[in-house]
Amino acid sequence: MRILTLACSLAALIVASPLSAQTLNVASAGDQNMVDYVKDYLGPMFEKANPGVKVVSVGTGPGDSGSQKIYEKLDAQKGAATTDFDVVVIHQKAAGQMVKEGLLNKYTGNVETAKLATGDAAKNSLGTDVGGFVIPMFQSQTALAYNADMVKTPPATFAELADWARKNPKQFGYNGIKGGMSGVSFVAGWVYAFGGDAEKLMKGPYDAATKTSWDKAFADLKEFNKNAVITPGNAGTLDMLNRGEIAIGPVWVDMFYSWQADGKLPPNMKLKLVSPGMPGQPMYYAVPEKSAQKKLAEAFIALATSPQVQADGIVKKFNWYPGIDAKNLEGKLDKAAWDKLFTDVTPAELAQNGKPFPIAPYFNDILEGYEKKVAN
Amino acid sequence: MSLSQRNLALLLIAPGLALVAALFLYPLCFSLISAFTGPQGGFSLQAFGKAWELYSGDVVFTVVIVLASCFFTGLAAIIIAGTLTLGENRWIVGTLKALYRWPLFIPFIVAAQCMRTFLAKNGLMNNSFVSLGLIEPLQAVSYLDWRGIIATFVWKQTPFVALLLAGALASLDRATLEAGRNLGASRMRVLVELALPQVMPQLLVALVLSFVTMLSVLSVPMMVAGSQPTMLTVDMAFRINAYGDYATANALGVITYLISAGAAIIYLKRGMAKENTP
């Protein structure tokens, strides 16, 4: 009898405990640093401000595949009363799809800081209207990293780069399209530069016939690839730059600065954002439609997108560009930290040459065209 | 009595059978059906058309890489197992015995990460050669391509094959080998002409198992080499991650099943031949 009483009270305790303490489950696509950011930085800060709340951070992996996993989970739990995730951090491609399929909650009206993000990325995700469903966590940008000792005057346009690669065989390296997004970004930039109407690719409307006009661009890229090195992944490009095996390669700006800060890249490395431009992309904070903790999730995102956290966490800690408009960070950030982000790529260059990725159907066409006409 | 024993037997294997059905047969059927379903539903070979159009080169690349890796793995395993069985220098045999199994305990992904810095143009291997004066710095080339994949596979699979082969060689009747030695045959000749033919079935089984393992590795081609051409596992992951296109990924999966079925047939034929011998 005593054992039964003990078992019953234990069971009651287990059932009751989630009521007294609330748990907020945050799922992040992206590299481990994104998971750590929530676990070590945002989570403890939020827990301190909201006693009794526990923030659990899970990672679903880098690149679009991480977002794909979040999408699959939400899709699978469509019929359930609640989903396992309360806040999700996702890429652009998945965000558009999730909004279209009704998997996300229109929450930004309840979050004060949503007004601070007025950029195009807050409303438009690769051609899909996501206004009201997402707030950017940060903006990231790709650019060409080059070894200033080996390249005295870096190419300023894609055409100059093609010329340079011809004269310096195997000195340019990128990771193709299967090894990470910096390579995808380079290929998209190439099509923007040589494929005709770049504006249409970024803004739409979609016309399936457009892809036939890229044949020349792809043929040139195939030729270009003969003089290029295909590196194993985003980190692979940085590795090869670091070891002096290549002189130029496309990289993510935040990875570049983080590696340099860690001493994994020599100080003679510099960045150049070539014309007509290379794509960058934001990651978004979103709340699943079936989240069990909507109020808590909104409070969490409000904290994460507040100017102080954007300044200290996003810019200072990770060298990302802020998700909310940069002017809101004035006074929150010392000049040195801000200038560091704009040493090689000036704000004017970023405004002119920092491009979004093409809208989703063109994006797929470019990837598949590359597989068909360049890689095969 | 016999009926209840039969029922008991069925009951005993039921959990295992259910597990196989739920975790293997169900996903297998699911992926087979998806591979043969068109975008509008219904039977279609469209996914295979796409897989062939885009990845035929990678199919050939995959088969060549895995076969070449099997060949070199077999060669290295024969050398190691042969030395262990027939070697006469106590120090060499002892050291080899202590060392050769190590890669067995290292996961593929860690092996790939090690090879990434080891085989690079300015990596550990080339730098060692340069400092030893064996090559000039300008002669250094990067092995981070198909050669890197083969090197990683061979390094990782050799201990497994060598382990099975050494076991088989150790259980051979020493008398025939000794007789060969007494009649003046070199150790090399004893290994190739006397020992190896007797352990061929074990070697073949070990190589078939390695073949299937190497066919399914994603981390090594992803981390060691660039992406064109690449192995089918990378293409499958890309199809899902970039396009959410399960049909083509599953079609590539079916092609992989067919390739490994070829290996499985050799394996089964061997097994049956063995059972039939008195």
Side-chain angles (χ1 to χ4, degrees), chain A residues 64-65 68 72 93 175-178 225 230-232 235-236 239 243 245 364 367-368 370-372 375-376, chain B residues 50 53-55 58 116 120-122 222-228 230 235 238-244 246:
Chain A
D64 278 334
S65 62
Q68 175 78 14
E72 281 170 11
K93 220 171 166 183
N175 53 10
I177 56 169
K178 288 174 197 165
N225 271 1
I230 302 295
T231 66
D239 269 336
R243 291 191 296 249
E245 293 166 13
N364 286 341
L367 292 183
E368 204 151 292
Y370 184 93
E371 286 197 282
K372 216 177 273 182
N376 210 352
Chain B
K50 186 159 251 178
E53 183 191 0
L54 294 178
Y55 306 113
D58 289 348
R116 235 166 113 112
K121 187 178 171 196
N122 294 343
M222 199 99 161
M223 292 171 73
V224 172
S227 58
Q228 47 204 50
T230 189
D235 293 329
F238 182 69
R239 243 15 252 186
I240 293 169
N241 295 337
Y243 309 101
Y246 284 88

Side-chain angles (χ1 to χ4, degrees), chain A residues 46-58:
Chain A
F46 189 68
E47 283 169 4
K48 211 169 156 195
N50 299 271
V53 173
K54 190 168 165 40
V55 178
V56 175
S57 169
V58 289

Side-chain angles (χ1 to χ4, degrees), chain A residues 29 46 62 73 115 117 119 152 179 241 249 259 268 302 315 332 337 341 364 374:
Chain A
F46 189 68
K73 179 99 178 175
K115 294 193 189 80
K152 294 291 175 222
L241 280 164
W259 279 49
N268 58 351
V315 179
K332 311 275 181 206
L341 207 53
N364 286 341
V374 182

Side-chain angles (χ1 to χ4, degrees), chain B residues 88-107:
Chain B
E88 279 161 10
N89 184 321
R90 219 152 45 88
W91 292 110
I92 293 181
V93 173
T95 318
L96 195 63
K97 217 177 215 164
L99 284 181
Y100 89 98
R101 285 191 208 117
W102 283 23
L104 212 53
F105 298 95
I106 294 171

Side-chain angles (χ1 to χ4, degrees), chain A residues 41-200:
Chain A
Y41 183 74
L42 278 183
M45 201 190 293
F46 189 68
E47 283 169 4
K48 211 169 156 195
N50 299 271
V53 173
K54 190 168 165 40
V55 178
V56 175
S57 169
V58 289
T60 56
D64 278 334
S65 62
S67 292
Q68 175 78 14
K69 280 189 204 125
I70 293 178
Y71 162 75
E72 281 170 11
K73 179 99 178 175
L74 296 185
D75 189 49
Q77 293 185 325
K78 227 176 184 173
T82 59
T83 60
D84 291 349
F85 302 147
D86 302 309
V87 176
V88 292
V89 182
I90 46 178
H91 293 88
Q92 279 194 301
K93 220 171 166 183
Q97 192 180 11
M98 288 187 202
V99 167
K100 267 192 223 155
E101 297 186 15
L103 297 174
L104 296 184
N105 184 252
K106 198 162 188 171
Y107 75 98
T108 62
N110 305 328
V111 177
E112 202 53 30
T113 49
K115 294 193 189 80
L116 306 180
T118 59
D120 191 46
K123 295 179 223 90
N124 184 322
S125 173
L126 306 183
T128 308
D129 181 11
V130 292
F133 294 93
V134 298
I135 304 179
M137 173 189 184
F138 64 82
Q139 282 280 350
S140 196
Q141 178 65 42
T142 49
L144 294 183
Y146 66 97
N147 187 328
D149 291 345
M150 293 159 86
V151 187
K152 294 291 175 222
T153 44
T157 64
F158 269 88
E160 279 180 41
L161 175 70
D163 201 40
W164 183 89
R166 213 178 358 257
K167 289 180 193 137
N168 301 277
K170 301 289 172 194
Q171 286 296 299
F172 174 86
Y174 76 111
N175 53 10
I177 56 169
K178 288 174 197 165
M181 288 302 278
S182 64
V184 175
S185 169
F186 176 76
V187 172
W190 183 280
V191 176
Y192 287 167
F194 303 116
D197 195 356
E199 279 300 303
K200 194 175 163 197

